Amino acid sequence: MKRFFTILSVLVPFALAGCPSPAEAPPDAGTEDAAVPDDTASDTHRAEVVPGDGTDAVAPPDTTPLPTARAFVVAAEDDLLPGREATGRIGDLRIENEHLVAIIGGPGHHMWGPFGGGILDMAVQGGEDRFQEAFSTAGFLRAVRATSIEVASDGTLGPPMIRVTGTDGAIPLVDLIAATQPVGLDVTVEYTLPPGSPCLEIRTVATNPTDETVTVALGDGVIWSETGRVFGPGAGYNPEGLLSQGPVGYIGADQPRLAHLLTPLDGASVSVALLEDELSLLSYEMRPLAPGETAEVRRCFYATAGRGLAPLAIHWETIGQGTVAVSGSVEIPTSGYDLEQAWIEIYRDDAFVGSVAPDSQGDFAFVAPPGDYRGVLRGEALTETEVLWTATKDLPVEGLTFTPPAPARIDATVTGPGGAVIPGRFTIQPGPDAALHAAHAAVVVTLDGAATLNLPAGTWTLTGSRGPQWSLCAGDVTVAAGETATFTCSIEELIPATGWVSADLHVHSEFSIDSNMPREERVKALVAEGVRFFAGTDHDIFSDFRPIV
C-alpha cells in the first residue's frame, strides 16, 4: 500500500499539470463530489439501463434459436457467469458470442472502478470467470461517470453492442492524494462482439464540449486477478520494467490455465502509468482537444484458455504477423507433480514474448514469429532450465524437451491428541536442525492436517504448529530427487481456551489493494493458527468471507 501511494504521489502532480485549474474549469462544472453515486443521488448522476433495439429483459422465452452473438440485460441468475471472481448480478448487461462472455456492470455496480459500465466478469464461453474488472478512463486518472448504460444492439440486426455514455468522474482512491479537477468531457464507451470474433472490441470516444482547450488522456483501469501475473513485451513479468519501458503493443495477465490480453488497434500503443499487484492503470494517448474536437481509441480484449501465448497467437493472426508452430514436452518424473502449474517463458533476442504451460502429460504447443528463441522452464521446486531454438518461416519446430532435475516430494501430516489429524501449519527450512526463526523456504497451511510438499532434493527441517495455544513439533527429512518421503509429527494444546475466543481484528486479503492473499488461503491460514473470530478490514471494499468460511 505504501508503494501504491508513493507512485500516485508522483503521478498526480503530472496529471494536474495537464488538467484545467479551477479557474479554467468548464462552465457550470462546479465542485464535484468524488463519492460513488447511490440510490439517493440525483438523476444527473444516476445511470439508466436502456434495453434498446426492442430487447425486453422480462419478455417470456420463445422457441426462436438464439443468435450466436447477442447482448441483453441480465434478468435471471442463470445468465450470470460462475467462478471465484464473478461479481455480476441481475440488472447488469451480458454480451457474448461463441468465444467470449462479458458482464458489464449496470448502474452503480462496480468493484474497484468508481462507477457502473465497466467489465465486471469476462470468461471463455462455457468457462468460469477469473477476472476482476476493467473500466475506461478519460482525463488523466479520472474514470467515466456513466449516465446511461444501454444495449445499443442486441445482435439480431447487427453485431451486439453495449453503449455507456457519461462524463469524466473522480476516482476516490486517487483523490485521497490530490483531487483531480473535472474536465467536462462527453464520453462514450462501446463494447462490441461480432459473431465469430475472439475480440471484445472496446471503443472510447471523448468530445470536448467546452469553449476552452483541454488536455485529455484516454485509457483503462484493469484489475486482472489475484491468482495471475501481469506481463508485457520485453519486460515480461517484471513490474518495474513494465512501468519504465514506455509504449508497448500489448499488456496482459495469465494464470495456469487462463490468459487475458489487451491490445490497442489502429496502430496505437499502450503505456503502463501505474502497476500495483493486479491493478494496472493504462494510457493510450494524451493530447489537447480544442472546443468541439473528439479523441478516440479502440482496443481488443481477449480471454483464452492457456497462458499468455494463447491470446497472442490470435493477435498475431489478426494483424497478419506470420508465425511458426513450436511443440515439445516437459519431463518431470516426480509422482503427483502438477505439470500444469509449471510454465515456460519465451524470449526472442532476450526480450520477453510470452509464456506457455504444458498439459497434464507434459506436452506443449504454441506459435510465435520467426526468430532466435530461448525458453526458460519455471515452476514449484524446479531448477531453472533453458532450451534454445531457431524458428524459420514455414518450418515447424518439433521435439523441444525440457528435463530439469526432478524435485523431491514430502507427504507431511500434523496430528493432535489421540493421533487425529488436525488443521495446522508447516514451516519448511533448508538444512537439518534449522532454528525456528532462521530463513524458511515456504509456509504451508492445511485444514485436514496433511500437505504435499514439492522441494529440491536434500535435507529439510519441518515444523508443525497450530498457533500460540499449541506446542510445536519438528524434525528433519532427507529426500532424494524424484523420490517421496513421509513426515508425521504430533502437537498438543498447552493453553486451554475455555471461555475465551481467539481473534484477529485487522485482516486483509485479495479484496484489498495491499494484499494478494486469496480469500480461501486467508481463511485457511486463520483456521490453521487456531483463530476463531476475525474482522475483514480490506481497503475500499466491503468484503464478505461467509461463503468461504
Side-chain angles (χ1 to χ4, degrees):
M1 189 59 143
K2 182 178 179 181
R3 176 174 174 269
F4 171 77
F5 283 117
T6 299
I7 296 173
L8 278 184
S9 67
V10 174
L11 287 174
V12 169
F14 173 63
L16 296 180
C19 295
S21 66
E24 298 170 334
D28 302 323
T31 301
E32 183 180 30
D33 183 2
V36 177
D38 58 18
D39 290 339
T40 64
S42 70
D43 288 340
T44 303
H45 297 306
R46 185 183 299 125
E48 177 185 6
V49 170
V50 184
D53 282 5
T55 302
D56 187 353
V58 295
D62 59 30
T63 58
T64 304
L66 293 174
T68 58
R70 57 179 181 151
F72 58 95
V73 177
V74 174
E77 295 285 344
D78 288 346
D79 290 325
L80 297 173
L81 284 171
R84 73 178 307 279
E85 304 284 3
T87 55
R89 67 187 184 191
I90 291 176
D92 292 337
L93 295 83
R94 174 169 172 143
I95 187 167
E96 67 177 331
N97 67 5
E98 57 268 50
H99 295 289
L100 298 177
V101 181
I103 301 295
I104 310 301
H109 189 201
H110 55 89
M111 290 293 288
W112 295 75
F115 312 107
I119 303 173
L120 293 180
D121 303 327
M122 184 174 178
V124 177
Q125 180 65 263
E128 294 189 350
D129 174 63
R130 283 184 279 161
F131 174 77
Q132 291 201 34
E133 187 176 6
F135 58 92
S136 296
T137 58
F140 197 76
L141 298 179
R142 292 178 66 80
V144 176
R145 188 177 187 131
T147 55
S148 174
I149 305 170
E150 64 176 342
V151 176
S153 170
D154 64 7
T156 56
L157 300 178
M161 177 191 293
I162 293 171
R163 181 181 293 126
V164 180
T165 56
T167 187
D168 58 284
I171 300 175
L173 194 61
V174 172
D175 273 30
L176 287 175
I177 301 296
T180 58
Q181 297 298 324
V183 182
L185 299 171
D186 290 335
V187 187
T188 299
V189 181
E190 295 175 341
Y191 304 96
T192 306
L193 187 58
S197 174
C199 158
L200 175 64
E201 183 180 316
I202 308 171
R203 176 175 176 262
T204 300
V205 179
T207 302
N208 177 14
T210 75
D211 56 5
E212 300 285 342
T213 296
V214 297
T215 300
V216 175
L218 299 182
D220 289 302
V222 185
I223 303 89
W224 304 92
S225 170
E226 287 289 352
T227 58
R229 294 188 301 166
V230 181
F231 68 89
Y237 296 109
N238 176 12
E240 298 301 330
L242 289 172
L243 281 168
S244 64
Q245 71 179 13
V248 294
Y250 62 84
I251 186 79
D254 64 6
Q255 305 171 50
R257 299 174 180 86
L258 181 67
H260 292 87
L261 191 76
L262 192 60
T263 62
L265 298 173
D266 306 320
S269 58
V270 58
S271 297
V272 182
L274 184 147
L275 182 59
E276 178 68 19
D277 293 328
E278 75 278 17
L279 168 64
S280 302
L281 286 182
L282 310 176
S283 178
Y284 300 101
E285 66 172 338
M286 177 180 287
R287 66 183 181 89
L289 282 188
E293 191 176 4
T294 293
E296 174 181 334
V297 63
R298 296 168 57 240
R299 55 269 192 216
C300 267
F301 209 175
Y302 301 98
T304 66
R307 285 197 180 260
L309 280 173
L312 270 173
I314 301 172
H315 171 62
W316 287 326
E317 181 179 6
T318 301
I319 64 175
Q321 169 67 62
T323 57
V324 178
V326 181
S327 62
S329 63
V330 176
E331 298 180 358
I332 301 176
T334 305
S335 174
Y337 190 90
D338 187 358
L339 285 160
E340 292 182 331
Q341 299 298 318
W343 70 94
I344 304 167
E345 295 178 8
I346 311 299
Y347 296 82
R348 182 174 60 179
D349 300 326
D350 289 327
F352 179 90
V353 177
S355 62
V356 63
D359 62 21
S360 59
Q361 304 302 310
D363 298 324
F364 62 84
F366 61 92
V367 299
D372 295 324
Y373 285 89
R374 175 171 59 97
V376 182
L377 175 68
R378 305 183 193 275
E380 184 182 24
L382 295 182
T383 301
E384 183 178 295
T385 304
E386 292 189 0
V387 172
L388 305 177
W389 71 91
T390 296
T392 304
K393 183 179 178 181
D394 300 325
L395 186 62
V397 177
E398 299 175 339
L400 297 182
T401 305
F402 291 81
T403 55
R409 169 178 164 176
I410 300 175
D411 291 335
T413 306
V414 60
T415 62
V421 293
I422 60 173
R425 182 177 84 167
F426 291 104
T427 302
I428 302 101
Q429 298 167 282
D433 302 318
L436 182 60
H437 297 294
H440 60 265
V443 174
V444 177
V445 298
T446 169
L447 293 181
D448 61 6
T452 297
L453 312 173
N454 292 305
L455 300 162
T459 299
W460 299 88
T461 300
L462 271 63
T463 302
S465 63
R466 199 191 178 196
Q469 296 171 226
W470 291 69
S471 65
L472 303 175
C473 61
D476 296 339
V477 181
T478 300
V479 60
E483 300 298 323
T484 299
T486 59
F487 172 80
T488 301
C489 68
S490 180
I491 60 176
E492 60 180 339
E493 190 175 21
L494 300 179
I495 306 175
T498 304
W500 294 84
V501 174
S502 57
D504 188 337
L505 303 181
H506 188 103
V507 173
H508 291 186
S509 74
E510 66 182 279
F511 293 116
S512 209
I513 194 171
D514 62 349
S515 171
N516 59 4
M517 178 173 274
R519 66 200 83 161
E520 297 89 349
E521 292 301 312
R522 174 56 74 195
V523 171
K524 285 173 62 178
L526 292 164
V527 172
E529 293 290 342
V531 176
R532 299 286 303 280
F533 177 86
F534 73 96
T537 55
D538 290 306
H539 292 286
D540 295 291
I541 292 289
F542 292 106
S543 48
D544 184 2
F545 287 88
R546 289 175 298 176
I548 307 303
V549 172

